Amino acid sequence: MKVIKKIDELRRELKQYRNDKTIGFVPTMGYFHEGHLSLMDRAKAETDIVVVSLYVNPTQFGPNEDLAVYPRDFECDEQLAKEHGVDIIFYPDNDEMYPDGYKTYVYTEELSKKLCGKSRENHFKGVTTIISKLFNIVQPDVAVFGQKDHQQAIILERMVEDLNIPIKMIIAPIIREKDGLAMSSRNKYLSHEERKQSVILSLSLKAAKESVKKGETSAEIIKQQITSQINTSSLAKIDYIEIVNSKDLIDVKIIEKGTFAAVAVYYGKTRLIDNVVLG
Amino acid sequence: MKVIKKIDELRRELKQYRNDKTIGFVPTMGYFHEGHLSLMDRAKAETDIVVVSLYVNPTQFGPNEDLAVYPRDFECDEQLAKEHGVDIIFYPDNDEMYPDGYKTYVYTEELSKKLCGKSRENHFKGVTTIISKLFNIVQPDVAVFGQKDHQQAIILERMVEDLNIPIKMIIAPIIREKDGLAMSSRNKYLSHEERKQSVILSLSLKAAKESVKKGETSAEIIKQQITSQINTSSLAKIDYIEIVNSKDLIDVKIIEKGTFAAVAVYYGKTRLIDNVVLG
C-alpha cells in the first residue's frame, strides 16, 4: 500500500492502471471504524484498485464546529487500510487542496439547506466541493459512501447526476455497534453515560420502522413516536427529527416508498445522526 | 462529421478514441463567426479529435437578457464546422442538459461578481456550471476558449485549477472585423449606424495600449482616456470601463504585467464587450 500526499504523484501512480484496471474510491476523514472499513471492503469487491482519501476537509466545518479537535490517528488508519486491501491512501494537506487564492465551490441548492443543513449552514457546500475535487483527482470508476450520512449520499448522487460526473455511486449500509448505535468517528467524544443513553437513536428508529411495518402510515404519528422515545434519554437534546422523501428531502405526510426518518441529537457538544428507510 | 444530441451517445462515440487519441473541445453557443472557427482550428492543431458543443445555455442568461432571440443557424454552423475539420458536434437540448429536478451549480466566488458580473448577476455561475457539465461529458485533453470573453477565461482557468479538472486550457486571441470590432454573435443585432460607431471600443483600447507603450502607467489616466474616447460615440452607453489585474480582477492604480482594460458598452439593447492586455 502506498501513501501519497501530492495530487500530481497520485495522478502519475493511477495512470498506469487506467487502461486495464477499474479504480474504486472511498473518500474519508480518517479515524477509521468498522463503517469505513466496510466501504473499503465494498470498493475492493467492486474494483481492481482501491484508493482511500484521508483528509479532514475544513470547508465542511462551521466556525463553531469540531474541526480542530476532530479525531485523528493516521498510523492506526494506515494499518487498518492495509489490512483491508487498500492500494493507495491519498493523504493531502490543506495547501495541496485549498491553495492561496482558492475561489470555486460546488453547491447542490435546496437539498443542502434541509435537515443537517439547517444547523450546519455551509456543511454540504464544503462536502460537494471537496468531493468534486477528489473525483477529478482520482477519476475513479466507482465511489463508495455510507448510508449513515444519508443526506450527504442523496446530495452527492444528485451532484453526480447533475454535473454528469462519469462515476458509479454505491451507498453502503450503516454499520452499527452491538447495541445499535451507528458507528461514527464522533462517538469517541461521548462520556460513559452519554454513550449508554445514545442507543436511543437507533432504538427509536427501529421502533418507527416496526410501526410502519405494522401498518402506520402517518408521518406525524411516527415523528411523535420517535420524539417521545428520544426524550426519555435525559441527556439528549434533539436537533431535528424529520420524515422526508429521498428525492428532495421534503417533509411527507404519508409514509411511502423512499420515505425515511432522519434524526440528529446532541449529547453535550457531540452531535450524532442516524436514519432509517421507513417505506 | 457527426452530430450527436444525447450524452450517452457522445460518450460511446468518444470511448473508442480515449486510449490512443487526444480529444480537443470547443464549447460554443453557435452562430459561428471567424472567432469560433479560429478556436476550432486551434483545437484541430493541438489534438486528434475535435468536439464542438453547440448549446445556448439558459442558465447564463438573466431574466431580461436575450436568450429567446439569441441568434441561431444550425445548418450554417454545421457546414462551417465541417469545413474546419470538426469531428463531432454535440448539440443537446435543454431536457438533456437540465432535466427536471436539476439542482447543482458551480460557482467561482468573487471573480463572478466583478466586471460583467455586476450587470449580469448569475451569468458566470451559469457559465461555470455548464462548462463543468460539458467537461465531464466530453472529458477532453484540451479545451479552447476565446480571449474576447477575458473574464470568462480567467474564471474558467480558476475553476479548472480549483476543482483539479485534468484539462489543459488554451485561451486563443480575439478575432476582429477589418475595422477592429471584436467578432461576436451579437454584432448582428447592431443597426447600420450602431455598427459604424461601435468601432470605438477597439479603437479606444488600441489607443490605451499605445499610451501605455509610450510610458503612461496611471490606470486612472488610461481609464479617463478610454472613457472620453468612447463618449465621442453618440449612441454608446457605457456599462463599465475597468483597468484590473488578471489574477483576481481587482482595480489597479499602476499598470503592470497582467493588467488589462475591459469595456462593456451598450448600443441600444446590444451589449458589446472588448478588452486588451495593457501591461
Side-chain angles (χ1 to χ4, degrees):
Chain A
M1 188 184 74
K2 289 190 177 172
V3 176
I4 295 178
K5 303 188 83 160
K6 296 291 176 189
I7 294 167
D8 286 348
E9 194 190 336
L10 180 63
R11 285 194 167 130
R12 276 196 303 277
E13 179 68 21
L14 287 173
K15 201 173 179 188
Q16 61 181 310
Y17 301 121
R18 296 219 182 270
N19 279 351
D20 59 347
K21 303 255 192 244
T22 55
I23 295 169
F25 178 45
V26 183
T28 80
M29 299 209 301
Y31 209 73
F32 297 154
H33 50 65
E34 292 294 324
H36 298 106
L37 300 173
S38 74
L39 307 182
M40 298 173 203
D41 293 344
R42 182 67 184 269
K44 196 77 194 169
E46 299 271 343
T47 56
D48 303 316
I49 303 292
V50 174
V51 181
V52 170
S53 64
L54 197 166
Y55 178 59
V56 181
N57 171 39
T59 65
Q60 71 191 68
F61 287 80
N64 299 314
E65 290 180 9
D66 57 347
L67 173 61
V69 296
Y70 195 83
R72 291 161 168 92
D73 185 345
F74 182 72
E75 278 172 31
C76 179
D77 286 347
E78 190 180 3
Q79 186 55 37
L80 288 167
K82 201 184 282 179
E83 287 168 19
H84 284 260
V86 169
D87 299 282
I88 298 169
I89 292 187
F90 178 51
Y91 184 47
D93 63 19
N94 287 337
D95 288 345
E96 190 72 1
M97 297 309 282
Y98 297 106
D100 273 358
Y102 189 94
K103 289 184 177 64
T104 307
Y105 293 88
V106 179
Y107 194 49
T108 297
E109 295 176 355
E110 300 158 56
L111 294 181
S112 295
K113 293 282 176 219
K114 298 179 191 295
L115 307 186
C116 290
K118 283 185 193 163
S119 56
R120 306 189 71 187
E121 196 191 337
N122 287 312
H123 172 67
F124 290 111
K125 182 176 163 187
V127 171
T128 41
T129 299
I130 192 68
I131 296 297
S132 293
K133 286 169 63 65
L134 290 167
F135 278 0
N136 283 324
I137 292 166
V138 178
Q139 295 184 277
D141 300 281
V142 171
V144 188
F145 294 85
Q147 171 78 12
K148 202 207 81 188
D149 301 297
H150 197 168
Q151 184 177 9
Q152 171 180 285
I154 288 168
I155 288 173
L156 290 174
E157 285 185 314
R158 180 83 251 165
M159 175 187 87
V160 162
E161 192 178 325
D162 283 352
L163 295 185
N164 311 101
I165 298 172
I167 294 175
K168 182 185 164 194
M169 298 283 282
I170 292 178
I171 312 302
I174 300 176
I175 305 296
R176 298 180 179 280
E177 302 287 352
K178 274 187 191 146
D179 66 356
L181 178 66
M183 289 206 186
S184 164
S185 304
R186 290 188 170 102
N187 292 349
K188 75 159 268 182
Y189 297 145
L190 299 169
S191 71
H192 182 73
E193 181 57 26
E194 287 168 345
R195 172 66 190 82
K196 236 171 79 183
Q197 291 195 15
S198 64
V199 68
I200 199 68
L201 273 75
S202 59
L203 285 182
S204 66
L205 293 176
K206 205 173 160 190
K209 196 174 170 97
E210 278 304 311
S211 297
V212 172
K213 259 191 196 158
K214 283 180 189 151
E216 184 56 65
T217 59
S218 158
E220 193 47 42
I221 287 174
I222 292 294
K223 190 171 171 173
Q224 280 168 12
Q225 183 189 318
I226 297 171
T227 307
S228 59
Q229 212 168 342
I230 291 180
N231 279 335
T232 64
S233 164
S234 60
L235 298 172
K237 200 178 140 256
I238 293 171
D239 179 18
Y240 68 74
I241 294 170
E242 305 226 31
I243 317 289
V244 295
N245 70 39
S246 291
K247 197 177 157 245
D248 44 20
L249 302 175
I250 286 178
D251 285 348
V252 300
K253 291 196 161 164
I254 301 298
I255 291 160
E256 52 186 15
K257 195 168 176 289
T259 301
F260 71 102
V263 303
V265 174
Y266 284 97
Y267 280 94
K269 286 184 173 176
T270 309
R271 188 171 171 282
L272 302 179
I273 59 174
D274 201 348
N275 67 82
V276 69
V277 176
L278 295 172
Chain B
M1 189 183 73
K2 288 190 178 173
V3 177
I4 296 178
K5 303 188 82 162
K6 296 291 177 190
I7 294 167
D8 286 348
E9 193 189 337
L10 180 63
R11 285 195 166 129
R12 275 196 303 276
E13 179 68 20
L14 287 173
K15 201 173 178 186
Q16 62 182 306
Y17 301 121
R18 296 221 182 270
N19 278 350
D20 59 346
K21 304 254 192 240
T22 55
I23 295 169
F25 179 46
V26 183
T28 80
M29 300 208 303
Y31 210 73
F32 297 154
H33 51 64
E34 291 295 323
H36 297 105
L37 301 173
S38 74
L39 306 183
M40 298 174 204
D41 293 345
R42 182 67 186 271
K44 196 78 194 168
E46 300 271 342
T47 55
D48 303 317
I49 303 292
V50 173
V51 180
V52 170
S53 64
L54 197 166
Y55 178 59
V56 181
N57 171 38
T59 65
Q60 71 191 68
F61 288 81
N64 299 315
E65 290 182 8
D66 57 349
L67 173 61
V69 296
Y70 194 85
R72 291 160 168 92
D73 186 345
F74 182 73
E75 279 172 32
C76 179
D77 286 347
E78 190 179 3
Q79 186 55 38
L80 288 168
K82 202 184 284 180
E83 287 169 19
H84 284 259
V86 169
D87 299 282
I88 298 168
I89 293 186
F90 178 52
Y91 184 47
D93 64 19
N94 288 337
D95 287 344
E96 189 72 1
M97 297 309 281
Y98 297 105
D100 273 358
Y102 189 92
K103 289 185 177 65
T104 306
Y105 294 88
V106 179
Y107 194 48
T108 296
E109 294 178 354
E110 299 157 58
L111 294 180
S112 295
K113 293 282 176 216
K114 297 177 191 295
L115 308 184
C116 290
K118 283 184 193 163
S119 55
R120 305 190 71 190
E121 195 191 338
N122 286 313
H123 172 66
F124 289 111
K125 184 176 162 188
V127 171
T128 41
T129 299
I130 192 68
I131 296 298
S132 294
K133 286 168 62 65
L134 290 167
F135 279 0
N136 282 325
I137 292 166
V138 178
Q139 295 184 278
D141 300 281
V142 171
V144 188
F145 294 85
Q147 172 77 14
K148 202 208 82 188
D149 301 298
H150 196 167
Q151 183 178 10
Q152 171 180 285
I154 287 168
I155 288 173
L156 290 174
E157 284 184 316
R158 180 83 252 166
M159 175 187 86
V160 162
E161 193 178 325
D162 283 351
L163 295 185
N164 311 101
I165 298 171
I167 294 175
K168 181 184 164 193
M169 298 283 283
I170 292 177
I171 312 302
I174 299 176
I175 306 295
R176 298 179 179 281
E177 303 287 351
K178 274 188 190 144
D179 65 358
L181 178 67
M183 290 206 185
S184 164
S185 304
R186 290 188 170 102
N187 291 350
K188 76 158 268 182
Y189 297 144
L190 298 169
S191 71
H192 183 72
E193 182 56 27
E194 289 169 345
R195 173 65 190 82
K196 236 171 78 183
Q197 292 194 16
S198 65
V199 68
I200 199 69
L201 273 75
S202 58
L203 285 181
S204 67
L205 293 175
K206 204 174 162 189
K209 196 175 171 96
E210 278 305 310
S211 298
V212 172
K213 257 191 197 158
K214 284 179 188 150
E216 184 55 67
T217 59
S218 158
E220 193 47 42
I221 288 173
I222 292 294
K223 190 170 171 173
Q224 280 168 13
Q225 184 189 319
I226 297 171
T227 307
S228 59
Q229 212 168 343
I230 292 180
N231 279 334
T232 63
S233 164
S234 60
L235 299 173
K237 197 177 140 259
I238 293 171
D239 179 17
Y240 68 74
I241 294 170
E242 304 225 31
I243 317 289
V244 295
N245 69 39
S246 291
K247 198 177 156 247
D248 44 19
L249 302 175
I250 284 176
D251 285 348
V252 299
K253 291 195 161 166
I254 302 297
I255 291 160
E256 53 186 15
K257 194 167 178 289
T259 302
F260 72 101
V263 303
V265 174
Y266 283 97
Y267 279 95
K269 285 185 174 176
T270 308
R271 188 171 172 282
L272 303 179
I273 58 172
D274 201 348
N275 67 82
V276 69
V277 176
L278 296 171

